[in-house]
Amino acid sequence: MIAVAPLLAQEGAISAERIRADTRFLSSDLLEGRGVGQRGGQLATEYIATQLELAGARPAGANGTYFQPVPLVGIETSPAATLTASAGSKSVDFQWLDDFVALSQTQQPDTRFEADAVFVGHGITAPEWKWDDFKGVDVSGKIIVLFTNEPSSNDPKFFDGPALTYYGRWTYKYEEALRRGARGAIIIHTTPTASYAWEVVRNSWGHESPFVKLEPGDKALSCQGWITREAGEKLLGLAGKTVDEMLALSEKPDFKPIDLGIRIRASLPAKIRNLDTRNVAAMIPGSDPKLKDEVVVFSAHWDHFGIGTPVNGDNIYNGAIDNATGCAILLELARAWAVLPQKPRRSALFLSVTAEEGGLKGSEYYASHPLVPAARTAIDLNYDALYPFGRAKDVVITGAERTTVWPLAQQIARRMNLEVSPDAQPAAGHYFRSDHFSFAHAGIPAFSIGRATQFAGKPADFGEKAYQEYNSKHYHQPSDEFQADWDFTALQQAAEYGFLLGREIANQDKLPDWRPGEQFQR
Ligand SMILES: [Zn+2]
């Protein structure tokens, strides 16, 4: 066994027991599930800021405080929403939730429109793989109709093989629609292309969703929506086409957009409200007079679902694993950094972001309003939902291989006697679903230091079973609660790993970057 402690500045600098204590407090019923726009969220952010201050980190938020205000808007489409497709004398009405979900990004209470529909395959323009579904066709003012996901591939040199790339994510589809000036975008759901059933779409779109408040001049789609496969058959049927036929065409590199000859009419009334929330930010300055203007970011989202629909009589969504664990690690990192006798050359920013559960909104806001510009941000190392189930034998750092930090990341794992394990579900696109991705999207090298999959003294399938158990019974449920018998050693290891990696990066001569050919560049 290689002893880990000597790698750190001082014995016990990172403590499993302090990580346990913060996890317990942040996930206690008194914190009311840390809801965005709820009292529990205010208490959690106040606690995190206080702990950062006690650690000796300086305020890095607005007006000399530890807080960055994040203006969000909650949008809830009314069940009175309507969507109709027509061609000539034929028309089809779609039913809210049973056939379609949609919302207007305009943040206005009443959106109505009528526009032509164009089918655009997967709606992807990826020059690195010589793929362009648009072929120069102007879709401005139109409703684009498309499938999510990307062309099928087993070739790692084409859309990264079976792994999902960002081009395949539904969020990319709406972003591309907006870039191209479309009026809206409607995704035809199929279980294979979405990788989940319609119920998942229906459940996540059937209630209020937070968005970063639009600023003057910001563009917005009048409609971002999904329709079921059956509704898709009816819609395409108006143009004499079928879903299977269109799926097959979407696989072809010579695909060209198809003008469907269909008019789409919609009314999307919505409840709109302001949701004022905040990120917590604290800085420990670097020691190099020049490099201290650059920063290594550690992040972890503080929010969870707050007080909500009761399950088995419990209405507090404590979010102990998701993500009191990550916040507790963040606080411990700040303490360990603060007591370093020799500070690293670059500064360190400890950032606890809001509204991750609403779609990475706090980190998205940070990325567009960074406290240190992207060009001077070395990396973001994020923590989200770690398993306190014993001593880890590995570390999962999916996405590190996309960056120039990769050799160093492997070297530190070796020094700590940890394997680097691959993402267990590459087709699920986990890399695009946690806060580090908001940084990546803005060009900053970023990844999460994830939960371990192998644990010392446990069977090889223990990690996978723990994942299945947590995911099926406790993920996003009120039962994600602190357990007194949890062993936080793996979280201490994850914190030590991030500490060593972050410190090395903070001392390097050059800023990390993306490897050539990566989709996101500074
Ligand atoms: Zn989380």
Side-chain angles (χ1 to χ4, degrees):
M1 246 350 217
I2 296 168
V4 165
L7 297 174
L8 299 175
Q10 64 189 70
E11 194 82 31
I14 290 180
S15 147
E17 291 314 302
R18 279 194 296 265
I19 296 172
R20 169 199 294 277
D22 279 329
T23 302
R24 187 184 59 220
F25 180 76
L26 285 166
S27 64
S28 69
D29 279 358
L30 283 173
L31 275 272
E32 298 172 353
R34 306 185 305 278
V36 173
Q38 295 184 358
R39 184 178 76 147
Q42 290 300 99
L43 287 169
T45 48
E46 197 63 48
Y47 176 78
I48 291 167
T50 303
Q51 289 299 320
L52 290 167
E53 183 172 7
L54 289 170
R58 297 187 188 170
N63 310 316
T65 71
Y66 287 91
F67 303 110
Q68 176 182 45
V70 175
L72 299 180
V73 170
I75 304 179
E76 183 176 1
T77 305
S78 155
T82 62
L83 180 71
T84 303
S86 55
S89 59
K90 288 180 290 180
S91 85
V92 189
D93 291 326
F94 299 109
Q95 301 305 310
W96 174 246
L97 295 185
D98 292 336
D99 297 326
F100 82 101
V101 293
L103 69 78
S104 165
Q105 297 176 343
T106 59
Q107 306 183 356
Q108 297 300 317
D110 201 5
T111 300
R112 290 159 193 277
F113 62 86
E114 188 175 338
D116 292 331
V118 186
F119 178 73
V120 297
H122 289 294
I124 292 171
T125 300
E128 63 272 48
W129 292 306
K130 302 191 171 41
W131 189 274
D132 180 14
D133 283 323
F134 291 91
K135 305 282 191 308
V137 171
D138 180 11
V139 296
S140 59
K142 310 228 163 127
I143 301 295
I144 61 170
V145 177
L146 71 168
F147 296 110
T148 190
N149 218 304
E150 59 200 20
S152 316
S153 169
N154 283 313
D155 174 3
K157 295 207 170 67
F158 184 63
F159 284 95
D160 289 355
L164 189 71
T165 72
Y166 188 58
Y167 295 111
R169 287 279 295 159
W170 58 268
T171 49
Y172 166 84
K173 313 298 177 187
Y174 300 140
E175 289 168 13
E176 189 61 22
L178 190 60
R179 280 191 286 269
R180 291 179 175 272
R183 190 73 194 262
I186 294 175
I187 297 169
I188 301 175
H189 173 269
T190 75
T191 301
T193 51
S195 86
Y196 38 76
W198 174 254
E199 282 63 39
V200 175
V201 180
R202 180 190 166 117
N203 290 344
S204 50
W205 287 61
H207 53 76
E208 182 186 79
S209 301
F211 285 79
V212 173
K213 192 176 188 135
L214 291 175
E215 290 171 14
D218 284 352
K219 295 196 168 60
L221 295 177
S222 295
C223 170
Q224 60 169 52
W226 291 75
I227 55 176
T228 63
R229 183 186 173 115
E230 293 68 30
E233 292 289 10
K234 287 184 194 159
L235 183 136
L236 294 173
L238 291 170
K241 317 266 188 217
T242 69
V243 168
D244 281 335
E245 201 181 317
M246 294 313 220
L247 277 170
L249 282 178
S250 306
E251 292 284 319
K252 299 204 157 85
D254 60 355
F255 171 84
K256 283 196 192 72
I258 298 168
D259 188 344
L260 294 171
I262 293 171
R263 294 286 281 174
I264 305 248
R265 207 153 22 92
S267 162
L268 301 174
K271 261 194 274 177
I272 308 286
R273 65 173 180 135
N274 288 323
L275 272 175
D276 290 322
T277 180
R278 56 195 186 177
N279 294 330
V280 186
M283 186 87 81
I284 299 180
S287 56
D288 183 292
K290 227 177 120 202
L291 292 185
K292 72 174 170 37
D293 292 340
E294 297 175 350
V295 73
V296 167
V297 180
F298 295 100
S299 59
H301 75 86
W302 59 258
D303 64 297
H304 200 54
F305 292 100
I307 292 175
T309 311
V311 178
N312 299 326
D314 185 356
N315 66 352
I316 301 176
Y317 287 70
N318 305 74
I321 284 177
D322 185 8
N323 185 29
T325 56
C327 293
I329 289 175
L330 184 79
L331 294 177
E332 190 61 3
L333 284 168
R335 293 180 192 117
W337 205 277
V339 299
L340 279 173
Q342 170 65 27
K343 292 290 177 289
R345 296 161 75 193
R346 292 190 175 84
S347 299
L349 178 66
F350 301 89
L351 183 68
S352 190
V353 293
T354 182
E356 187 272 352
E357 305 292 7
L360 318 183
K361 300 306 179 193
S363 56
E364 176 190 329
Y365 183 80
Y366 178 87
S368 56
H369 301 79
L371 298 168
V372 176
R376 288 196 268 120
T377 301
I379 197 158
D380 170 52
L381 300 174
N382 183 63
Y383 290 89
D384 191 355
L386 288 92
Y387 286 176
F389 299 155
R391 174 171 289 278
K393 294 202 303 191
D394 66 355
V395 61
V396 177
I397 46 173
T398 306
E401 75 287 354
R402 298 168 183 266
T403 74
T404 56
V405 158
W406 182 229
L408 177 65
Q410 291 173 297
Q411 190 195 321
I412 288 171
R414 275 195 299 275
R415 272 162 67 188
M416 290 183 64
N417 226 10
L418 296 170
E419 294 279 337
V420 175
S421 293
D423 184 357
Q425 297 98 12
H430 289 304
Y431 185 70
F432 315 115
R433 294 162 60 178
S434 195
D435 289 304
H436 64 261
F437 183 66
S438 295
F439 288 80
H441 199 268
I444 299 164
F447 53 91
S448 283
I449 296 170
R451 62 185 163 78
T453 69
Q454 298 294 322
F455 291 85
K458 304 261 167 69
D461 63 352
F462 173 83
E464 175 60 22
K465 282 192 173 148
Y467 169 75
Q468 296 301 345
E469 162 93 7
Y470 175 74
N471 221 38
S472 61
K473 295 193 183 146
H474 310 303
Y475 174 69
H476 290 184
Q477 299 291 327
S479 63
D480 180 1
E481 288 178 316
F482 180 83
Q483 304 296 323
D485 64 354
W486 278 350
D487 174 348
F488 282 76
T489 311
L491 276 66
Q492 177 185 336
Q493 292 169 288
E496 285 168 350
Y497 181 82
F499 180 90
L500 294 171
L501 182 58
R503 189 176 64 177
E504 290 287 338
I505 294 169
N507 280 326
Q508 280 176 340
D509 290 335
K510 273 182 67 182
L511 283 176
D513 215 332
W514 298 96
R515 291 197 149 177
E518 280 299 324
Q519 185 177 1
F520 301 106
Q521 301 286 335
R522 269 184 221 275

